[in-house]
Amino acid sequence: MHSRSAAVLLATALLAGTAGIAGCSSGSPASGAAQSSATSADASAAQSPAPAGEGFGQTLSWDGLDVTVTTPVAFAPSKLASFPEGSRRFVSVGISVRNTSREPLQTMFLTTSATSGGRDAGRVADSDNRIGAPVTAIAPGESLTWNEAFPMPGEDLALTVGWAPPKGEPASATLTLSGYPAPATPSASATG
């Protein structure tokens, strides 16, 4: 890990879990924290063509939940972020989960992991940028959106999203990205 003790990593992950919640409504996935984190040094990459991706932005419907993961955007971790040593490029995604069941849905049964360049990419814990998965329950009919970030050492990214509830069938899907994305830029047509 990036010169952080296990205690700091745990505290950061717990803070990110509570601070990383972007909304608890039926809205679409938000990646505001990721969008505001792109550095000006990455601005020149905005002119390059968008990388090809498969599965991002589509809704995965499994037993009791719908999951949507936004297309990855370039991400700059804060100075207090924790990530695998030697990581230089990062991406973030917005994850939106809607509980379609009649029971509260526990987010701890939803997992994400990433590989890049043929190896485990690790993950970023960054409470300053509101990055991290929450550990909470989502009421029936409600949605929850948060942001997660991952190092991207290679030119590709495979993000596996898994659902393993204690009752019911486990499910997973792997979303892929070819090429490092340009940093997110605020939309000129966005309204507040």
Side-chain angles (χ1 to χ4, degrees):
M1 286 283 154
H2 176 74
S3 70
R4 304 281 182 247
S5 70
V8 171
L9 177 58
L10 177 60
T12 301
L14 290 173
L15 285 173
T18 57
I21 299 171
C24 191
S25 68
S26 58
S28 62
S31 58
Q35 290 178 353
S36 66
S37 301
T39 63
S40 59
D42 291 332
S44 62
Q47 275 106 34
S48 62
E54 185 176 317
F56 291 103
Q58 299 174 9
T59 299
L60 306 167
S61 294
W62 295 324
D63 186 27
L65 76 160
D66 291 339
V67 180
T68 306
V69 180
T70 63
T71 301
V73 294
F75 172 75
S78 72
K79 291 180 181 180
L80 297 177
S82 178
F83 48 84
E85 190 172 341
S87 300
R88 290 184 170 73
R89 296 188 313 174
F90 306 88
V91 295
S92 68
V93 296
I95 299 176
S96 181
V97 176
R98 180 166 180 77
N99 182 350
T100 60
S101 76
R102 294 183 199 161
E103 300 293 325
L105 181 148
Q106 300 294 327
T107 59
M108 72 176 133
F109 300 118
L110 184 75
T111 60
T112 56
S113 62
T115 59
S116 180
R119 63 186 179 125
D120 179 33
R123 66 179 54 252
V124 176
D126 189 351
S127 61
D128 285 354
N129 281 318
R130 303 176 80 86
I131 297 294
V135 178
T136 189
I138 304 172
E142 295 295 319
S143 295
L144 183 65
T145 298
W146 66 89
N147 296 314
E148 294 190 27
F150 305 91
M152 189 172 167
E155 291 303 315
D156 64 331
L157 180 80
L159 178 64
T160 300
V161 180
W163 174 239
K167 301 176 199 172
E169 292 295 316
S172 68
T174 300
L175 316 176
T176 59
L177 178 72
S178 298
Y180 188 68
T185 55
S187 172
S189 63
T191 58

